[in-house]
PDB file of all heavy atoms in Angstrom:
ATOM      1  N   LEU A   1      75.825 119.757  70.094  1.00  0.00           N
ATOM      2  CA  LEU A   1      77.234 119.530  69.807  1.00  0.00           C
ATOM      3  C   LEU A   1      78.145 120.369  70.699  1.00  0.00           C
ATOM      4  O   LEU A   1      79.186 119.890  71.153  1.00  0.00           O
ATOM      5  CB  LEU A   1      77.509 119.817  68.326  1.00  0.00           C
ATOM      6  CG  LEU A   1      78.854 119.388  67.772  1.00  0.00           C
ATOM      7  CD1 LEU A   1      79.122 117.917  68.022  1.00  0.00           C
ATOM      8  CD2 LEU A   1      78.911 119.684  66.277  1.00  0.00           C
ATOM      9  N   GLY A   2      77.774 121.617  70.971  1.00  0.00           N
ATOM     10  CA  GLY A   2      78.585 122.464  71.846  1.00  0.00           C
ATOM     11  C   GLY A   2      78.722 121.880  73.236  1.00  0.00           C
ATOM     12  O   GLY A   2      79.809 121.890  73.829  1.00  0.00           O
ATOM     13  N   ARG A   3      77.647 121.354  73.753  1.00  0.00           N
ATOM     14  CA  ARG A   3      77.663 120.699  75.067  1.00  0.00           C
ATOM     15  C   ARG A   3      78.594 119.498  75.042  1.00  0.00           C
ATOM     16  O   ARG A   3      79.420 119.313  75.929  1.00  0.00           O
ATOM     17  CB  ARG A   3      76.248 120.275  75.446  1.00  0.00           C
ATOM     18  CG  ARG A   3      76.148 119.555  76.769  1.00  0.00           C
ATOM     19  CD  ARG A   3      74.671 119.145  77.038  1.00  0.00           C
ATOM     20  NE  ARG A   3      74.576 118.384  78.241  1.00  0.00           N
ATOM     21  CZ  ARG A   3      74.826 117.065  78.321  1.00  0.00           C
ATOM     22  NH1 ARG A   3      75.179 116.389  77.240  1.00  0.00           N
ATOM     23  NH2 ARG A   3      74.732 116.436  79.475  1.00  0.00           N
ATOM     24  N   ALA A   4      78.468 118.672  74.014  1.00  0.00           N
ATOM     25  CA  ALA A   4      79.308 117.479  73.895  1.00  0.00           C
ATOM     26  C   ALA A   4      80.785 117.849  73.786  1.00  0.00           C
ATOM     27  O   ALA A   4      81.647 117.204  74.395  1.00  0.00           O
ATOM     28  CB  ALA A   4      78.870 116.644  72.688  1.00  0.00           C
ATOM     29  N   ILE A   5      81.088 118.885  73.038  1.00  0.00           N
ATOM     30  CA  ILE A   5      82.481 119.334  72.894  1.00  0.00           C
ATOM     31  C   ILE A   5      83.002 119.846  74.227  1.00  0.00           C
ATOM     32  O   ILE A   5      84.128 119.522  74.632  1.00  0.00           O
ATOM     33  CB  ILE A   5      82.596 120.403  71.792  1.00  0.00           C
ATOM     34  CG1 ILE A   5      82.334 119.773  70.426  1.00  0.00           C
ATOM     35  CG2 ILE A   5      83.958 121.099  71.846  1.00  0.00           C
ATOM     36  CD1 ILE A   5      82.127 120.770  69.310  1.00  0.00           C
ATOM     37  N   ALA A   6      82.204 120.645  74.928  1.00  0.00           N
ATOM     38  CA  ALA A   6      82.620 121.174  76.236  1.00  0.00           C
ATOM     39  C   ALA A   6      82.890 120.033  77.217  1.00  0.00           C
ATOM     40  O   ALA A   6      83.897 120.046  77.942  1.00  0.00           O
ATOM     41  CB  ALA A   6      81.559 122.116  76.788  1.00  0.00           C
ATOM     42  N   LEU A   7      82.015 119.045  77.248  1.00  0.00           N
ATOM     43  CA  LEU A   7      82.202 117.893  78.140  1.00  0.00           C
ATOM     44  C   LEU A   7      83.473 117.131  77.791  1.00  0.00           C
ATOM     45  O   LEU A   7      84.253 116.743  78.670  1.00  0.00           O
ATOM     46  CB  LEU A   7      80.989 116.965  78.083  1.00  0.00           C
ATOM     47  CG  LEU A   7      79.691 117.523  78.661  1.00  0.00           C
ATOM     48  CD1 LEU A   7      78.517 116.592  78.339  1.00  0.00           C
ATOM     49  CD2 LEU A   7      79.799 117.754  80.152  1.00  0.00           C
ATOM     50  N   MET A   8      83.728 116.911  76.502  1.00  0.00           N
ATOM     51  CA  MET A   8      84.926 116.200  76.068  1.00  0.00           C
ATOM     52  C   MET A   8      86.184 116.974  76.446  1.00  0.00           C
ATOM     53  O   MET A   8      87.149 116.392  76.952  1.00  0.00           O
ATOM     54  CB  MET A   8      84.876 115.965  74.556  1.00  0.00           C
ATOM     55  CG  MET A   8      86.057 115.176  73.991  1.00  0.00           C
ATOM     56  SD  MET A   8      87.550 116.130  73.564  1.00  0.00           S
ATOM     57  CE  MET A   8      86.959 117.368  72.468  1.00  0.00           C
ATOM     58  N   LEU A   9      86.181 118.283  76.233  1.00  0.00           N
ATOM     59  CA  LEU A   9      87.349 119.092  76.600  1.00  0.00           C
ATOM     60  C   LEU A   9      87.603 119.026  78.103  1.00  0.00           C
ATOM     61  O   LEU A   9      88.745 118.908  78.539  1.00  0.00           O
ATOM     62  CB  LEU A   9      87.160 120.539  76.146  1.00  0.00           C
ATOM     63  CG  LEU A   9      87.249 120.789  74.640  1.00  0.00           C
ATOM     64  CD1 LEU A   9      86.790 122.204  74.309  1.00  0.00           C
ATOM     65  CD2 LEU A   9      88.659 120.545  74.121  1.00  0.00           C
ATOM     66  N   GLY A  10      86.528 119.084  78.881  1.00  0.00           N
ATOM     67  CA  GLY A  10      86.666 118.962  80.331  1.00  0.00           C
ATOM     68  C   GLY A  10      87.228 117.616  80.741  1.00  0.00           C
ATOM     69  O   GLY A  10      88.092 117.530  81.612  1.00  0.00           O
ATOM     70  N   GLU A  11      86.757 116.550  80.094  1.00  0.00           N
ATOM     71  CA  GLU A  11      87.262 115.195  80.384  1.00  0.00           C
ATOM     72  C   GLU A  11      88.743 115.069  80.050  1.00  0.00           C
ATOM     73  O   GLU A  11      89.464 114.306  80.687  1.00  0.00           O
ATOM     74  CB  GLU A  11      86.473 114.150  79.594  1.00  0.00           C
ATOM     75  CG  GLU A  11      85.072 113.936  80.088  1.00  0.00           C
ATOM     76  CD  GLU A  11      84.263 113.029  79.162  1.00  0.00           C
ATOM     77  OE1 GLU A  11      84.827 112.474  78.183  1.00  0.00           O
ATOM     78  OE2 GLU A  11      83.051 112.885  79.412  1.00  0.00           O
ATOM     79  N   GLU A  12      89.188 115.818  79.048  1.00  0.00           N
ATOM     80  CA  GLU A  12      90.588 115.755  78.625  1.00  0.00           C
ATOM     81  C   GLU A  12      91.483 116.695  79.437  1.00  0.00           C
ATOM     82  O   GLU A  12      92.659 116.821  79.141  1.00  0.00           O
ATOM     83  CB  GLU A  12      90.708 116.072  77.133  1.00  0.00           C
ATOM     84  CG  GLU A  12      90.141 114.987  76.243  1.00  0.00           C
ATOM     85  CD  GLU A  12      90.902 113.678  76.338  1.00  0.00           C
ATOM     86  OE1 GLU A  12      92.125 113.702  76.539  1.00  0.00           O
ATOM     87  OE2 GLU A  12      90.258 112.618  76.221  1.00  0.00           O
ATOM     88  N   GLY A  13      90.902 117.374  80.443  1.00  0.00           N
ATOM     89  CA  GLY A  13      91.706 118.187  81.348  1.00  0.00           C
ATOM     90  C   GLY A  13      91.695 119.676  81.101  1.00  0.00           C
ATOM     91  O   GLY A  13      92.327 120.436  81.847  1.00  0.00           O
ATOM     92  N   ALA A  14      91.014 120.128  80.058  1.00  0.00           N
ATOM     93  CA  ALA A  14      90.963 121.566  79.787  1.00  0.00           C
ATOM     94  C   ALA A  14      90.078 122.272  80.814  1.00  0.00           C
ATOM     95  O   ALA A  14      89.142 121.688  81.360  1.00  0.00           O
ATOM     96  CB  ALA A  14      90.428 121.823  78.378  1.00  0.00           C
ATOM     97  N   VAL A  15      90.384 123.528  81.054  1.00  0.00           N
ATOM     98  CA  VAL A  15      89.515 124.412  81.821  1.00  0.00           C
ATOM     99  C   VAL A  15      88.575 125.022  80.779  1.00  0.00           C
ATOM    100  O   VAL A  15      89.040 125.636  79.814  1.00  0.00           O
ATOM    101  CB  VAL A  15      90.324 125.517  82.532  1.00  0.00           C
ATOM    102  CG1 VAL A  15      89.395 126.454  83.277  1.00  0.00           C
ATOM    103  CG2 VAL A  15      91.366 124.913  83.453  1.00  0.00           C
ATOM    104  N   VAL A  16      87.272 124.844  80.957  1.00  0.00           N
ATOM    105  CA  VAL A  16      86.323 125.184  79.897  1.00  0.00           C
ATOM    106  C   VAL A  16      85.401 126.332  80.306  1.00  0.00           C
ATOM    107  O   VAL A  16      84.681 126.235  81.300  1.00  0.00           O
ATOM    108  CB  VAL A  16      85.469 123.957  79.506  1.00  0.00           C
ATOM    109  CG1 VAL A  16      84.589 124.289  78.306  1.00  0.00           C
ATOM    110  CG2 VAL A  16      86.340 122.750  79.206  1.00  0.00           C
ATOM    111  N   ALA A  17      85.418 127.388  79.500  1.00  0.00           N
ATOM    112  CA  ALA A  17      84.421 128.440  79.615  1.00  0.00           C
ATOM    113  C   ALA A  17      83.276 128.041  78.698  1.00  0.00           C
ATOM    114  O   ALA A  17      83.445 127.976  77.482  1.00  0.00           O
ATOM    115  CB  ALA A  17      84.999 129.788  79.187  1.00  0.00           C
ATOM    116  N   VAL A  18      82.125 127.705  79.302  1.00  0.00           N
ATOM    117  CA  VAL A  18      80.955 127.310  78.524  1.00  0.00           C
ATOM    118  C   VAL A  18      80.124 128.568  78.294  1.00  0.00           C
ATOM    119  O   VAL A  18      79.664 129.201  79.225  1.00  0.00           O
ATOM    120  CB  VAL A  18      80.157 126.168  79.196  1.00  0.00           C
ATOM    121  CG1 VAL A  18      80.942 124.878  79.142  1.00  0.00           C
ATOM    122  CG2 VAL A  18      79.806 126.473  80.630  1.00  0.00           C
ATOM    123  N   VAL A  19      79.981 128.933  77.026  1.00  0.00           N
ATOM    124  CA  VAL A  19      79.379 130.214  76.650  1.00  0.00           C
ATOM    125  C   VAL A  19      78.077 129.993  75.899  1.00  0.00           C
ATOM    126  O   VAL A  19      77.984 129.102  75.046  1.00  0.00           O
ATOM    127  CB  VAL A  19      80.355 131.029  75.769  1.00  0.00           C
ATOM    128  CG1 VAL A  19      79.733 132.347  75.335  1.00  0.00           C
ATOM    129  CG2 VAL A  19      81.666 131.267  76.499  1.00  0.00           C
ATOM    130  N   GLY A  20      77.093 130.804  76.215  1.00  0.00           N
ATOM    131  CA  GLY A  20      75.813 130.762  75.521  1.00  0.00           C
ATOM    132  C   GLY A  20      74.894 131.828  76.073  1.00  0.00           C
ATOM    133  O   GLY A  20      75.310 132.690  76.845  1.00  0.00           O
ATOM    134  N   ARG A  21      73.631 131.743  75.703  1.00  0.00           N
ATOM    135  CA  ARG A  21      72.663 132.760  76.127  1.00  0.00           C
ATOM    136  C   ARG A  21      71.757 132.308  77.255  1.00  0.00           C
ATOM    137  O   ARG A  21      71.105 133.127  77.876  1.00  0.00           O
ATOM    138  CB  ARG A  21      71.802 133.190  74.935  1.00  0.00           C
ATOM    139  CG  ARG A  21      72.583 133.969  73.902  1.00  0.00           C
ATOM    140  CD  ARG A  21      71.723 134.425  72.750  1.00  0.00           C
ATOM    141  NE  ARG A  21      71.135 133.257  72.091  1.00  0.00           N
ATOM    142  CZ  ARG A  21      69.897 133.216  71.616  1.00  0.00           C
ATOM    143  NH1 ARG A  21      69.114 134.263  71.696  1.00  0.00           N
ATOM    144  NH2 ARG A  21      69.438 132.131  71.041  1.00  0.00           N
ATOM    145  N   THR A  22      71.713 130.993  77.529  1.00  0.00           N
ATOM    146  CA  THR A  22      70.788 130.481  78.538  1.00  0.00           C
ATOM    147  C   THR A  22      71.567 130.051  79.775  1.00  0.00           C
ATOM    148  O   THR A  22      72.193 128.981  79.783  1.00  0.00           O
ATOM    149  CB  THR A  22      69.964 129.300  77.974  1.00  0.00           C
ATOM    150  OG1 THR A  22      69.380 129.705  76.740  1.00  0.00           O
ATOM    151  CG2 THR A  22      68.880 128.885  78.950  1.00  0.00           C
ATOM    152  N   THR A  23      71.523 130.865  80.807  1.00  0.00           N
ATOM    153  CA  THR A  23      72.321 130.645  82.014  1.00  0.00           C
ATOM    154  C   THR A  23      72.088 129.272  82.629  1.00  0.00           C
ATOM    155  O   THR A  23      73.052 128.584  82.985  1.00  0.00           O
ATOM    156  CB  THR A  23      72.030 131.751  83.049  1.00  0.00           C
ATOM    157  OG1 THR A  23      72.287 133.024  82.427  1.00  0.00           O
ATOM    158  CG2 THR A  23      72.886 131.609  84.275  1.00  0.00           C
ATOM    159  N   SER A  24      70.844 128.855  82.746  1.00  0.00           N
ATOM    160  CA  SER A  24      70.558 127.576  83.406  1.00  0.00           C
ATOM    161  C   SER A  24      71.194 126.398  82.662  1.00  0.00           C
ATOM    162  O   SER A  24      71.723 125.474  83.282  1.00  0.00           O
ATOM    163  CB  SER A  24      69.058 127.365  83.560  1.00  0.00           C
ATOM    164  OG  SER A  24      68.425 127.336  82.289  1.00  0.00           O
ATOM    165  N   LYS A  25      71.170 126.415  81.337  1.00  0.00           N
ATOM    166  CA  LYS A  25      71.791 125.341  80.556  1.00  0.00           C
ATOM    167  C   LYS A  25      73.311 125.349  80.749  1.00  0.00           C
ATOM    168  O   LYS A  25      73.936 124.296  80.875  1.00  0.00           O
ATOM    169  CB  LYS A  25      71.455 125.484  79.079  1.00  0.00           C
ATOM    170  CG  LYS A  25      70.019 125.166  78.738  1.00  0.00           C
ATOM    171  CD  LYS A  25      69.779 125.325  77.246  1.00  0.00           C
ATOM    172  CE  LYS A  25      68.337 125.062  76.893  1.00  0.00           C
ATOM    173  NZ  LYS A  25      68.103 125.218  75.451  1.00  0.00           N
ATOM    174  N   LEU A  26      73.898 126.532  80.746  1.00  0.00           N
ATOM    175  CA  LEU A  26      75.349 126.650  80.908  1.00  0.00           C
ATOM    176  C   LEU A  26      75.784 126.182  82.287  1.00  0.00           C
ATOM    177  O   LEU A  26      76.804 125.495  82.431  1.00  0.00           O
ATOM    178  CB  LEU A  26      75.791 128.091  80.672  1.00  0.00           C
ATOM    179  CG  LEU A  26      75.496 128.656  79.285  1.00  0.00           C
ATOM    180  CD1 LEU A  26      75.829 130.139  79.242  1.00  0.00           C
ATOM    181  CD2 LEU A  26      76.229 127.885  78.217  1.00  0.00           C
ATOM    182  N   GLU A  27      75.008 126.557  83.305  1.00  0.00           N
ATOM    183  CA  GLU A  27      75.315 126.119  84.671  1.00  0.00           C
ATOM    184  C   GLU A  27      75.249 124.599  84.775  1.00  0.00           C
ATOM    185  O   GLU A  27      76.069 123.978  85.448  1.00  0.00           O
ATOM    186  CB  GLU A  27      74.366 126.767  85.665  1.00  0.00           C
ATOM    187  CG  GLU A  27      74.643 128.246  85.857  1.00  0.00           C
ATOM    188  CD  GLU A  27      73.584 128.958  86.701  1.00  0.00           C
ATOM    189  OE1 GLU A  27      72.491 128.385  86.939  1.00  0.00           O
ATOM    190  OE2 GLU A  27      73.853 130.101  87.109  1.00  0.00           O
ATOM    191  N   SER A  28      74.302 123.990  84.088  1.00  0.00           N
ATOM    192  CA  SER A  28      74.162 122.535  84.096  1.00  0.00           C
ATOM    193  C   SER A  28      75.376 121.871  83.458  1.00  0.00           C
ATOM    194  O   SER A  28      75.910 120.888  83.987  1.00  0.00           O
ATOM    195  CB  SER A  28      72.879 122.140  83.359  1.00  0.00           C
ATOM    196  OG  SER A  28      72.788 120.747  83.243  1.00  0.00           O
ATOM    197  N   VAL A  29      75.835 122.387  82.319  1.00  0.00           N
ATOM    198  CA  VAL A  29      77.000 121.816  81.639  1.00  0.00           C
ATOM    199  C   VAL A  29      78.244 121.998  82.508  1.00  0.00           C
ATOM    200  O   VAL A  29      79.034 121.067  82.679  1.00  0.00           O
ATOM    201  CB  VAL A  29      77.201 122.455  80.250  1.00  0.00           C
ATOM    202  CG1 VAL A  29      78.502 121.986  79.612  1.00  0.00           C
ATOM    203  CG2 VAL A  29      76.024 122.134  79.345  1.00  0.00           C
ATOM    204  N   ALA A  30      78.413 123.195  83.069  1.00  0.00           N
ATOM    205  CA  ALA A  30      79.579 123.451  83.930  1.00  0.00           C
ATOM    206  C   ALA A  30      79.564 122.522  85.141  1.00  0.00           C
ATOM    207  O   ALA A  30      80.605 121.983  85.538  1.00  0.00           O
ATOM    208  CB  ALA A  30      79.598 124.912  84.367  1.00  0.00           C
ATOM    209  N   ALA A  31      78.399 122.314  85.724  1.00  0.00           N
ATOM    210  CA  ALA A  31      78.289 121.416  86.879  1.00  0.00           C
ATOM    211  C   ALA A  31      78.632 119.983  86.484  1.00  0.00           C
ATOM    212  O   ALA A  31      79.312 119.270  87.235  1.00  0.00           O
ATOM    213  CB  ALA A  31      76.875 121.471  87.461  1.00  0.00           C
ATOM    214  N   GLU A  32      78.206 119.567  85.316  1.00  0.00           N
ATOM    215  CA  GLU A  32      78.503 118.207  84.844  1.00  0.00           C
ATOM    216  C   GLU A  32      80.011 118.021  84.654  1.00  0.00           C
ATOM    217  O   GLU A  32      80.573 116.979  85.017  1.00  0.00           O
ATOM    218  CB  GLU A  32      77.753 117.944  83.539  1.00  0.00           C
ATOM    219  CG  GLU A  32      77.647 116.487  83.198  1.00  0.00           C
ATOM    220  CD  GLU A  32      76.700 116.219  82.031  1.00  0.00           C
ATOM    221  OE1 GLU A  32      75.836 117.063  81.733  1.00  0.00           O
ATOM    222  OE2 GLU A  32      76.837 115.142  81.431  1.00  0.00           O
ATOM    223  N   ILE A  33      80.665 119.028  84.105  1.00  0.00           N
ATOM    224  CA  ILE A  33      82.122 118.958  83.923  1.00  0.00           C
ATOM    225  C   ILE A  33      82.804 118.907  85.279  1.00  0.00           C
ATOM    226  O   ILE A  33      83.711 118.096  85.507  1.00  0.00           O
ATOM    227  CB  ILE A  33      82.620 120.154  83.087  1.00  0.00           C
ATOM    228  CG1 ILE A  33      82.113 120.038  81.650  1.00  0.00           C
ATOM    229  CG2 ILE A  33      84.151 120.248  83.134  1.00  0.00           C
ATOM    230  CD1 ILE A  33      82.332 121.290  80.807  1.00  0.00           C
ATOM    231  N   THR A  34      82.364 119.736  86.199  1.00  0.00           N
ATOM    232  CA  THR A  34      82.952 119.791  87.540  1.00  0.00           C
ATOM    233  C   THR A  34      82.745 118.478  88.286  1.00  0.00           C
ATOM    234  O   THR A  34      83.661 117.972  88.942  1.00  0.00           O
ATOM    235  CB  THR A  34      82.365 120.980  88.333  1.00  0.00           C
ATOM    236  OG1 THR A  34      82.625 122.183  87.592  1.00  0.00           O
ATOM    237  CG2 THR A  34      82.984 121.098  89.696  1.00  0.00           C
ATOM    238  N   GLN A  35      81.550 117.915  88.195  1.00  0.00           N
ATOM    239  CA  GLN A  35      81.258 116.642  88.858  1.00  0.00           C
ATOM    240  C   GLN A  35      82.132 115.509  88.331  1.00  0.00           C
ATOM    241  O   GLN A  35      82.443 114.562  89.051  1.00  0.00           O
ATOM    242  CB  GLN A  35      79.780 116.279  88.701  1.00  0.00           C
ATOM    243  CG  GLN A  35      78.869 117.143  89.532  1.00  0.00           C
ATOM    244  CD  GLN A  35      77.399 116.958  89.173  1.00  0.00           C
ATOM    245  OE1 GLN A  35      77.048 116.211  88.268  1.00  0.00           O
ATOM    246  NE2 GLN A  35      76.540 117.667  89.889  1.00  0.00           N
ATOM    247  N   ALA A  36      82.547 115.628  87.072  1.00  0.00           N
ATOM    248  CA  ALA A  36      83.406 114.609  86.467  1.00  0.00           C
ATOM    249  C   ALA A  36      84.883 114.860  86.789  1.00  0.00           C
ATOM    250  O   ALA A  36      85.751 114.151  86.290  1.00  0.00           O
ATOM    251  CB  ALA A  36      83.193 114.572  84.961  1.00  0.00           C
ATOM    252  N   GLY A  37      85.153 115.881  87.614  1.00  0.00           N
ATOM    253  CA  GLY A  37      86.529 116.165  88.014  1.00  0.00           C
ATOM    254  C   GLY A  37      87.200 117.248  87.194  1.00  0.00           C
ATOM    255  O   GLY A  37      88.375 117.548  87.400  1.00  0.00           O
ATOM    256  N   GLY A  38      86.483 117.845  86.266  1.00  0.00           N
ATOM    257  CA  GLY A  38      87.047 118.909  85.436  1.00  0.00           C
ATOM    258  C   GLY A  38      86.798 120.280  86.037  1.00  0.00           C
ATOM    259  O   GLY A  38      86.252 120.410  87.132  1.00  0.00           O
ATOM    260  N   ARG A  39      87.192 121.297  85.285  1.00  0.00           N
ATOM    261  CA  ARG A  39      86.984 122.678  85.712  1.00  0.00           C
ATOM    262  C   ARG A  39      86.278 123.435  84.598  1.00  0.00           C
ATOM    263  O   ARG A  39      86.694 123.376  83.445  1.00  0.00           O
ATOM    264  CB  ARG A  39      88.319 123.344  86.040  1.00  0.00           C
ATOM    265  CG  ARG A  39      88.974 122.734  87.277  1.00  0.00           C
ATOM    266  CD  ARG A  39      90.319 123.343  87.551  1.00  0.00           C
ATOM    267  NE  ARG A  39      91.239 122.869  86.504  1.00  0.00           N
ATOM    268  CZ  ARG A  39      92.407 123.432  86.244  1.00  0.00           C
ATOM    269  NH1 ARG A  39      92.803 124.497  86.907  1.00  0.00           N
ATOM    270  NH2 ARG A  39      93.193 122.940  85.295  1.00  0.00           N
ATOM    271  N   ALA A  40      85.205 124.115  84.979  1.00  0.00           N
ATOM    272  CA  ALA A  40      84.421 124.863  84.003  1.00  0.00           C
ATOM    273  C   ALA A  40      83.664 125.969  84.703  1.00  0.00           C
ATOM    274  O   ALA A  40      83.429 125.896  85.910  1.00  0.00           O
ATOM    275  CB  ALA A  40      83.437 123.936  83.289  1.00  0.00           C
ATOM    276  N   TRP A  41      83.299 126.965  83.936  1.00  0.00           N
ATOM    277  CA  TRP A  41      82.414 127.979  84.470  1.00  0.00           C
ATOM    278  C   TRP A  41      81.564 128.537  83.340  1.00  0.00           C
ATOM    279  O   TRP A  41      82.002 128.612  82.204  1.00  0.00           O
ATOM    280  CB  TRP A  41      83.172 129.064  85.235  1.00  0.00           C
ATOM    281  CG  TRP A  41      83.792 130.148  84.433  1.00  0.00           C
ATOM    282  CD1 TRP A  41      83.286 131.397  84.216  1.00  0.00           C
ATOM    283  CD2 TRP A  41      85.033 130.106  83.720  1.00  0.00           C
ATOM    284  NE1 TRP A  41      84.142 132.123  83.434  1.00  0.00           N
ATOM    285  CE2 TRP A  41      85.214 131.358  83.113  1.00  0.00           C
ATOM    286  CE3 TRP A  41      86.006 129.136  83.532  1.00  0.00           C
ATOM    287  CZ2 TRP A  41      86.323 131.664  82.332  1.00  0.00           C
ATOM    288  CZ3 TRP A  41      87.103 129.429  82.760  1.00  0.00           C
ATOM    289  CH2 TRP A  41      87.256 130.678  82.181  1.00  0.00           C
ATOM    290  N   PRO A  42      80.313 128.871  83.670  1.00  0.00           N
ATOM    291  CA  PRO A  42      79.399 129.385  82.645  1.00  0.00           C
ATOM    292  C   PRO A  42      79.587 130.881  82.443  1.00  0.00           C
ATOM    293  O   PRO A  42      79.809 131.620  83.403  1.00  0.00           O
ATOM    294  CB  PRO A  42      78.022 129.087  83.234  1.00  0.00           C
ATOM    295  CG  PRO A  42      78.234 129.121  84.716  1.00  0.00           C
ATOM    296  CD  PRO A  42      79.642 128.643  84.947  1.00  0.00           C
ATOM    297  N   ILE A  43      79.513 131.306  81.205  1.00  0.00           N
ATOM    298  CA  ILE A  43      79.537 132.727  80.871  1.00  0.00           C
ATOM    299  C   ILE A  43      78.385 132.995  79.920  1.00  0.00           C
ATOM    300  O   ILE A  43      78.342 132.454  78.814  1.00  0.00           O
ATOM    301  CB  ILE A  43      80.858 133.157  80.219  1.00  0.00           C
ATOM    302  CG1 ILE A  43      82.050 132.848  81.126  1.00  0.00           C
ATOM    303  CG2 ILE A  43      80.815 134.639  79.874  1.00  0.00           C
ATOM    304  CD1 ILE A  43      83.397 133.168  80.508  1.00  0.00           C
ATOM    305  N   THR A  44      77.465 133.812  80.356  1.00  0.00           N
ATOM    306  CA  THR A  44      76.326 134.169  79.512  1.00  0.00           C
ATOM    307  C   THR A  44      76.719 135.349  78.631  1.00  0.00           C
ATOM    308  O   THR A  44      77.182 136.374  79.136  1.00  0.00           O
ATOM    309  CB  THR A  44      75.105 134.533  80.373  1.00  0.00           C
ATOM    310  OG1 THR A  44      74.815 133.433  81.248  1.00  0.00           O
ATOM    311  CG2 THR A  44      73.891 134.815  79.515  1.00  0.00           C
TER     312      THR A  44
END
């Protein structure tokens, strides 16, 4: 659900700090948001 919420916020134009404990997963979500034209960065 956190991933889905982050993606939706990115699609709606928000700058999203994706936070969690697993860097690789966060980097993947941030990259997906960025590829869709949004802005995001992972924070472990």
Side-chain angles (χ1 to χ4, degrees):
L1 191 54
R3 179 181 176 278
I5 291 168
L7 292 171
M8 182 275 305
L9 288 170
E11 288 172 6
E12 290 295 327
V15 178
V16 186
V18 290
V19 178
R21 291 182 300 141
T22 308
T23 304
S24 61
K25 289 180 182 180
L26 299 173
E27 288 172 347
S28 174
V29 173
E32 198 170 339
I33 292 169
T34 302
Q35 288 169 358
R39 293 177 289 164
W41 82 99
I43 302 176
T44 304

